[in-house]
Amino acid sequence: MTPTPKYYIVKRLAGNCEILPLAEPAPTGATPTQRIAQIEEQDPTIIDKWGPYDSAEDAIARRIGLIRAGKCQPQ
């Protein structure tokens, strides 16, 4: 069985949002929720996050909604 990635949307200091796919399970055994928390700690440019989403299409649709709501800037 192949691992299915979970997708998160992260907002950067510049105001733009990007989609991060996180494979499940991680080589270290951490869950995607634990891994996104580690990424946030290591990368101070991340100021907000949304997710997890089960598909890239769902994450893209949510990112468009965040742009329309004024929470993210288009790239």
Side-chain angles (χ1 to χ4, degrees):
M1 182 175 182
T2 60
T4 57
K6 296 289 184 182
Y7 297 86
Y8 286 84
I9 301 170
V10 295
K11 182 176 181 179
R12 302 283 181 178
L13 283 174
N16 58 332
C17 291
E18 68 179 79
I19 297 170
L20 295 179
L22 297 177
E24 184 178 0
T28 60
T31 66
T33 303
Q34 292 168 332
R35 291 181 53 215
I36 195 72
Q38 291 170 348
I39 291 170
E40 277 186 299
E41 288 175 8
Q42 295 170 356
D43 190 348
T45 64
I46 296 175
I47 57 174
D48 209 349
K49 72 174 181 332
W50 297 270
Y53 302 106
D54 292 326
S55 69
E57 293 82 10
D58 192 23
I60 291 167
R62 301 294 177 133
R63 183 176 168 269
I64 291 169
L66 291 168
I67 292 169
R68 288 182 178 164
K71 296 188 185 262
C72 294
Q73 298 297 316
Q75 292 182 343

